[in-house]
Amino acid sequence: MKTLANLFKVSNYTALLGWVVLASLPLWPYGVEMVIMTIVLLLCVVYTYLIFFARKLDQGEPVRGSFWSLKGVMSLFKSPRVVLAGWVHYLAFDLMIGLFIAVDAARVDINHWHLIPTLFLTLMFGPAGLLSYFILKFLMTGEALFTLNF
């Protein structure tokens, strides 16, 4: 359990560093690369380790469950290892959404200060933050909510 607790701490602090970069250094030329190539990549490595290689960290009964029903998913999340993997999944994907928001907002010239609440919502509540960005983008630029130009 100590290994899982340490991975939890490292993952949280690593993701938090990415959020600090997105929120406070929007014009730093290496920010996007740092967040993707270092922080998100590290979170992906931790997730992959937990899912495919860390079964030895399970305690008690083997993990049973499935993705085909709510009951099956709830059974999967009885394992601390699987819960941590799910948490790291959230950290990585929410950070990628935050990165998308920051890059897209810069593309359409939305002032970075307007993004701070949206980035915070994305950090804390993922999809609600993305929804708030689409609404902000529409109100500030008139671009349709579903218009994504990469």
Side-chain angles (χ1 to χ4, degrees):
M1 190 67 147
K2 185 175 180 178
T3 301
L4 293 176
N6 288 337
L7 284 172
F8 177 81
K9 287 178 187 176
V10 168
S11 298
N12 278 341
Y13 290 131
T14 301
L16 188 57
L17 176 61
W19 285 103
V20 168
V21 169
L22 288 181
S24 63
L25 300 169
L27 302 177
W28 186 37
Y30 304 108
V32 171
E33 289 82 6
M34 179 187 157
V35 170
I36 290 178
M37 298 306 294
T38 305
I39 296 173
V40 172
L41 181 65
L42 179 61
L43 292 170
C44 291
V45 167
V46 170
Y47 174 81
T48 302
Y49 168 74
L50 288 167
I51 291 297
F52 296 110
F53 303 108
R55 292 185 193 271
K56 65 183 178 276
L57 299 177
D58 285 337
Q59 300 167 348
E61 295 182 31
V63 176
R64 294 197 190 333
S66 72
F67 293 111
W68 302 107
S69 69
L70 179 58
K71 186 175 181 177
V73 171
M74 289 171 64
S75 291
L76 286 172
F77 282 97
K78 289 180 181 174
S79 160
R81 175 184 59 88
V82 176
V83 170
L84 179 56
W87 179 248
V88 173
H89 183 283
Y90 282 128
L91 293 175
F93 275 63
D94 287 354
L95 186 55
M96 283 300 298
I97 295 300
L99 183 63
F100 161 75
I101 289 169
V103 169
D104 191 61
R107 180 188 64 80
V108 295
D109 292 324
I110 294 175
N111 184 305
H112 187 73
W113 288 107
H114 292 111
L115 291 184
I116 300 301
T118 296
L119 290 173
F120 180 75
L121 270 175
T122 305
L123 166 65
M124 299 305 292
F125 305 108
L130 181 59
L131 176 62
S132 73
Y133 172 67
F134 286 143
I135 293 168
L136 175 71
K137 180 179 175 183
F138 177 73
L139 293 174
M140 297 195 79
T141 68
E143 278 193 26
L145 301 179
F146 53 86
T147 301
L148 302 175
N149 299 315
F150 293 102

